[in-house]
Structures are given as C-alpha cells and as structure tokens.
Amino acid sequence: MDLPRLRPARRLTALVAVALLTTSLASPPVGAVLPGGNGTVYVETDSLMVAYEPGGAIRAVEGPMRLQDLDTASVSPDGRRLLVETDGGIGIMDVEGEQGPQTLIEGFVGSPTWSPTDPDLFAYANGQDSIDLWSLTDGHQGTVVAIDLEAEGFPEDLEWASDGTLYGYGEIFGSNVASLYRVNVAARTHTRVEIANGTFASRIGSASPDATRFAYECEIEGPGYAGGPTNAQRGVCLYDRDGQLIRFVNPLGTAQQLELPVWSPDGQRLAYVYDSEDTLYTSDPAGGNLTSVTDADAFEVTRAILWAPTAAGPPAGEAPLAPGGFDGDPTTTERADFTDPTAYAVAVSAARFGDGDAEVVVLSRDDEFPDSLAGAALTGDGPLLFTSPTSLPAATATEIDRVLAPGGTIYLLGGSAAISAEVEAELAQSGTVERLAGPSRVETSVAVAREVLGAGAFAGDGVRVAVARAGGPADNPTAGWADSVSVGAWTAADRIPTVVTPTDQVHPAVAAFVDEVGVSQTILLGGTAALSADVEAALPNPQRIAGDSRAGTAAAIASQLVGRPDDGTRELVVINGYRPDGWLFGLPAAGLAADAGAPIALGDDPVPPETLALACGPETIDVLLAGGLAVLGDAVATQLDAAPACGA
C-alpha cells in the first residue's frame, strides 16, 4: 500500500565532511566557536540562511541556495554540488551557485545521498518502496533493495557512510519505534534493527564517519542506561549498528531537548541544537568540552544545518592551463584540474588558442558519445566544446565568441536530436554553422570524414582512413569509444578521418564511402573483439593497430602512429579510459595532444602496465592528466611519476 510521506519539521541528511569547530570569529557572538579551515557551516533560520565561513566571517546566503531545504540536501564529496529535493523530484545545483537546481529525477522520489567515493553516483528513495542508484553520467543504475512498507516501514532519510554502507533512519508507520536500516549496496541486501533499551528516539539519525555509532534525538524513560537516574531524560542517544544504546549525552541538563545531532568528520565531536535557546553547540561524544557555535541573540537556529567540505581544487575557471597545456618541466605532472567537462573543454581551448585564432569550433553534445566519435579529426584547427542537446551553456557560448575567427565555422556533430535547432539558431549569431549528421552514428562519422577530407582529397591522393568500432557490448559500453578517443591525437594532427562500423561487418555507408574516395589504406583500431576478421577482409589495404586491452591499443597507437622522439623531453596526455564519462575529457584533449605531438594514453588506478611503459623515464616526459582528482586521482599521478626507466 502507499503510505503518506512523513516529514518531520527538523531533520538532517547531509554527509558530514568538515573540520572541527575550533576557530574563533573576528567579532563573534559571546562564546561562539566557528569551524576551522575545512568547510562552511550553513544554518537555516525562519527567515534566512546564514553561512559560517572557515575564516570566521558570518554572512547571509543569497541566491537559490537560500530557498532550498537543507534538511533534504546532500553535499557532494568535493564540496561543489548539492542534491536537493524539489517540488517534482530530485535536483542538482552548485553550492551557492547563481542558478537553481536542475531536475535530474521526476516523480515521488527523495532523500538523495552522495556516494562517498564516486562523484557521479548517488542513492535515493524511489516511490517509498525501494532504494535506487543514479549516475550523473548514465542515469538510473537500478534498484538496490525493495522494502516491505507494511512490515518494515521505510527510511525517511538516507546517508551513505564512508564504509560504503547506506544507512537509513525511520520507523514502522504509526508505531513510534525508531528503526535503523543497513543497506549493503554491493550485495543488494538490507537489514532493519529497532532502537532498543526502552527509549523513544526520533526517526532522525546521523552516522559517525566510521559508521560505528549513530546519534538520535531521544527521550529515556526510567533507567534506560547503565547507572542513570529513574526520571525521564531528553538528549542525544548513541547507538551501535545493532541498535543497542552506547551512551546518553546531554551536557546542558537532562530536561532540555537537543535536536539535529551530527558528527564531526573524525568522529571526535557531536553538534546539536539546544531547543530552548535555538543555539548550536558542540561537545565530545561523552558530552565534555562543550562549546557554543551560535548565539540566540544573533539569530535562532530553527530548522536545519548543513556542513559542506572545502571544495576540492580551485573552482572551474580559476585554474587555467599553461599555454599548450604543458609547462615544459618533466619533473612536474600537470593536471587539467576540472571535474566539469564543459569548463574543462573551455580551459583546453584557452590553452590552445588566442582571441580569434581558431578557424573552426567543433561542438559536441555532452550527454552521449556516438555522434562525437569522429570529431577529433577536425580539432587541429579549433577546439572541441560541449553543449547540452537543448541549451547552449554560457561558458561555451562565451568561449566560441572569444576564440572563433571572423567568418569561422561552427561544426555541429549530429542531428537535431543531438544538438537542437534552437541551439543551432543561437550559434548562427557567432559564425557559419555547419551540421554534420546522418541517420545513425555510422552515417554521422561518414559525414564528418567527408568534411575532414575536403573536396580535393579524393581518389589518387593516397587517402588513409581510421576505422573504429561503432559501439561496445551492453555490459561494457565504454569499449564503444575508447579506441576512437585514443586515436584522436593522430587524426587531429594529420587530419585523418575516422569512420565507425559495427564489429561484425562493414556498414554499407562505410563501404560506399571507402569506394567513393579511393581509400588507399585503412587503419583498424583494436583487436578482433572490436573489429572482426570479416571487417578486416572487406577493407582495402588494412593495417590493424591493437593491443591486448584498450590501454594496450592506445599504447600501440602511440608507438605505431604518433611516434615518440628519440631524445629530449616528450609529452603524454593521460585520460581516464574506464569511466563512463571519460570520452568527455578525451575528445577535447585530442587537439592539444596533436599540437604537442603527444599521444593519448589511458589511465586509472591501478595504472595499466602499457601506460606505465609509455611514461617510462619520468625524468624526460611531461605528463598532463586530463581531469581533476575525481577523474584521475592522486594515485594515478604517483604511479606515473614512479614509472621505470625505458627498457627496464
């Protein structure tokens, strides 16, 4: 049966990732102690939202964030984005951004919570009877668990703890029995335990960072804890994973109500609101070392708090790449420190071209890769930038106006379903718009290939064409773009067209194109799992470039097509060839790599041995990591910097 959604007036769902509250304000309310240098504390009141800055300043929060309910919000691990419940579902927005939330999921859904390890993944309550996963790259990832509403109730709040377990807090409808739900995401199983020891606990809980203790608002009737008095006491109760009481906490007096308990990131302190004063306090888990954070004379904490971590790395637009992308110093590993592909593509463009220096701009949709696979070959003369299918991002529009030469061409990759007619009309104000499209990704690649060759490069000119698979298997979709992206540096440098075809046979459109232009050699990318022996036999003068893995194929492309200098400093661009959104960081890098004569290699943690071999002799190789820490972590940089000597 469908049950009404319970909505307590005060609740907290955010993952906590901030420093201890230890730093004093420059001119604080009496007794106030504010957070140290790891994050901002946002506090809701009846009339406004207030931010306590790490440096000690207090300010009112303006913009769309102040209109959101923090009690339904979850901040991303990198501190940049906020998941919120909207009137129609779940939305995402930048923390304190200028725009309100963009709806991700519509319907009767809520309680979003970020994965602590995957910046693209979050869990949410779907229709009150299941907990589902959602990827920002690939959408719905399926149901984790279904829950029997009548027998078990349903968690009102979800929290994804650092141990990889999802925790939920709630009750069986109408029972007033608090419940703790444990969800094993990998095993797709869950358990529910009732809060024990004769207490009345609210439905709202908060997990310690190590997920060994859970803090609830509670009221203990009688001797509900060892050695306690017999009168009713109100405060915060700490429970273990089995729902057993560990400790009752109330340093302000056991008759006083404490609300919204939440943990510090190291698990050494608790924060809670003292209801009688509407003041935020912190203490250690035993109730000692009590300090006040806010003062009721300044404002009253009446709704919720959210602690946000310091954003990882500089904001987009504040970390420009060196001209050309490389600083020329092989002892350093450069990083295009962006997690947002649109901002990343703009930064790569700015590193390559001055004002009005690009003859073309290549525009790709930002949500799916098929129409963009062949586009890298056009980026020797201009950048590849991103747009949503229906709306041109302001950053992309600004960069087009900056970089495109007067009378330059803007190539749209794909039909109107990929990039809408409305976006096309808007772009017509900035340059000559040319759409390269066909009824499928195969015909689109052929249309791009024709543009790459131009009218004078047909029969008799020794035309070479790269051929890649048109898609990967259902259980391995990233295989559909890995080879096409890896060859991008070579195709951009030498203006070599790429066409895609099904794995098992040459598509008729590709066969017709090959015959029409008089192709003298076809370069097949990948092994027979990517392009079959039948495809090889049907193409003229085929040369297969392949390794034992996608990283091996990228390394073969690097050594056999791009080449490497025999001495002196050399460059290498490393992308994540295993993330679903890795193509978004690989395609813009093609032109930059081509400018430097550098290959594109595939990295992840652990770094594939074929990529380590390309990075051999780290004292002579300048490496550029394409993406921020969430895309390619520090472990990747460490392994590349420790690559063995060449030939070892």
Side-chain angles (χ1 to χ4, degrees):
M1 66 177 180
D2 292 331
L3 298 178
R5 186 163 196 178
L6 304 178
R7 177 72 67 189
R10 291 166 175 158
R11 48 194 278 239
L12 181 68
T13 59
L15 281 172
V16 181
V18 294
L20 299 181
L21 306 181
T22 57
T23 302
S24 298
L25 285 168
S27 53
V30 176
V33 179
L34 290 220
N38 199 32
T40 301
V41 176
Y42 299 96
V43 181
E44 281 190 75
T45 74
D46 277 340
S47 58
L48 77 162
M49 186 185 298
V50 178
Y52 283 77
E53 299 282 14
I58 302 176
R59 59 181 173 81
V61 176
E62 304 294 340
M65 185 182 178
R66 68 181 176 84
L67 304 177
Q68 306 304 316
D69 291 329
L70 292 187
D71 57 358
T72 67
S74 178
V75 65
S76 62
D78 65 5
R80 295 194 184 283
R81 296 169 294 177
L82 203 63
L83 290 171
V84 296
E85 292 184 10
T86 65
D87 290 339
I90 294 173
I92 186 172
M93 61 185 294
D94 291 338
V95 174
E96 295 198 54
E98 297 180 357
Q99 296 182 342
Q102 171 192 356
T103 298
L104 295 174
I105 311 172
E106 296 181 346
F108 191 58
V109 294
S111 299
T113 177
W114 288 96
S115 163
T117 57
D118 187 337
D120 286 340
L121 192 67
F122 65 90
Y124 64 99
N126 189 353
Q128 289 281 37
D129 60 0
S130 71
I131 296 173
D132 287 17
L133 296 180
W134 185 273
S135 165
L136 296 182
T137 303
D138 294 326
H140 187 254
Q141 299 297 290
T143 294
V144 180
V145 294
I147 295 179
D148 187 328
L149 294 177
E150 294 189 44
E152 296 185 278
F154 195 81
E156 276 293 312
D157 298 283
L158 299 176
E159 187 172 14
W160 205 330
S162 60
D163 69 346
T165 304
L166 276 169
Y167 293 92
Y169 317 102
E171 67 175 354
I172 297 178
F173 183 63
S175 69
N176 284 330
V177 175
S179 301
L180 174 65
Y181 301 78
R182 298 196 302 265
V183 180
N184 185 318
V185 178
R188 300 298 201 262
T189 60
H190 79 284
T191 58
R192 183 189 68 86
V193 297
E194 294 184 359
I195 300 304
N197 287 326
T199 66
F200 170 77
S202 83
R203 295 183 295 271
I204 313 310
S206 174
S208 64
D210 60 3
T212 60
R213 295 160 293 174
F214 299 84
Y216 280 80
E217 302 170 18
C218 69
E219 181 175 304
I220 294 180
E221 299 288 354
Y225 67 104
T230 58
N231 59 304
Q233 300 181 76
R234 306 168 72 186
V236 173
C237 290
L238 306 186
Y239 299 90
D240 63 19
R241 291 172 175 169
D242 296 321
Q244 299 300 310
L245 184 66
I246 299 172
R247 185 185 302 275
F248 173 83
V249 179
N250 194 334
L252 294 167
T254 56
Q256 308 303 327
Q257 180 67 37
L258 303 184
E259 298 178 335
L260 304 174
V262 67
W263 291 87
S264 67
D266 63 358
Q268 299 303 305
R269 293 188 73 78
L270 281 167
Y272 33 76
V273 174
Y274 177 27
D275 182 60
S276 296
E277 296 180 355
D278 291 322
T279 300
L280 183 66
Y281 283 88
T282 68
S283 72
D284 62 40
N289 192 21
L290 180 70
T291 57
S292 65
V293 180
T294 63
D295 193 304
D297 293 337
F299 65 89
E300 296 181 351
V301 182
T302 56
R303 295 187 63 192
I305 58 174
L306 176 72
W307 290 1
T310 298
E318 294 187 6
L321 294 172
F326 299 90
D327 66 2
D329 182 1
T331 64
T332 63
T333 296
E334 286 84 65
R335 180 186 291 277
D337 197 6
F338 296 85
T339 56
D340 174 50
T342 298
Y344 160 79
V346 169
V348 172
S349 174
R352 296 183 61 205
F353 299 100
D355 295 351
D357 285 348
E359 297 178 18
V360 303
V361 167
V362 183
L363 196 63
S364 163
R365 67 190 296 176
D366 63 1
D367 59 341
E368 295 183 10
F369 65 79
D371 290 315
S372 304
L373 291 179
L378 293 168
T379 61
D381 299 322
L384 186 143
L385 301 173
F386 291 116
T387 182
S388 78
T390 58
S391 177
L392 185 67
T396 297
T398 300
E399 181 62 11
I400 291 173
D401 289 340
R402 183 197 72 81
V403 75
L404 189 63
T409 300
I410 304 170
Y411 290 116
L412 307 187
L413 302 180
S416 58
I419 300 175
S420 69
E422 289 76 13
V423 171
E424 181 178 2
E426 182 178 352
L427 290 167
Q429 304 175 42
S430 300
T432 301
V433 180
E434 185 169 346
R435 188 183 291 274
L436 304 174
S440 76
R441 67 186 70 181
V442 176
E443 287 92 348
T444 294
S445 74
V446 170
V448 175
R450 292 181 185 279
E451 185 65 26
V452 171
L453 291 177
F458 289 112
D461 288 342
V463 176
R464 291 188 296 174
V465 173
V467 182
R469 70 197 303 177
D475 62 349
N476 189 18
T478 54
W481 56 259
D483 297 338
S484 299
V485 172
S486 298
V487 82
W490 180 63
T491 62
D494 291 348
R495 203 171 175 88
I496 304 294
T498 300
V499 294
V500 300
T501 191
T503 294
D504 56 349
Q505 62 183 351
V506 177
H507 191 281
V510 172
F513 168 74
V514 167
D515 289 341
E516 177 186 350
V517 303
V519 171
S520 60
Q521 185 181 38
T522 47
I523 308 298
L524 278 67
L525 305 175
T528 54
L531 296 171
S532 68
D534 290 341
V535 170
E536 182 174 0
L539 291 171
N541 190 18
Q543 178 188 359
R544 188 181 290 273
I545 307 293
D548 294 334
S549 64
R550 66 182 66 182
T553 295
I557 291 169
S559 60
Q560 298 180 48
L561 298 179
V562 178
R564 56 180 288 177
D566 295 330
D567 52 31
T569 299
R570 52 197 170 87
E571 287 78 28
L572 179 69
V573 176
V574 178
I575 70 168
N576 193 320
Y578 304 87
R579 285 170 55 99
D581 63 350
W583 63 278
L584 288 164
F585 295 88
L587 288 177
L592 186 146
D595 296 345
I600 293 175
L602 305 186
D604 201 2
D605 183 17
V607 177
E610 299 92 340
T611 300
L612 289 175
L614 285 177
C616 69
E619 69 283 354
T620 63
I621 187 166
D622 205 3
V623 176
L624 175 65
L625 300 179
L629 289 171
V631 180
L632 288 164
D634 271 339
V636 175
T638 299
Q639 292 168 58
L640 291 171
D641 288 341
C646 297

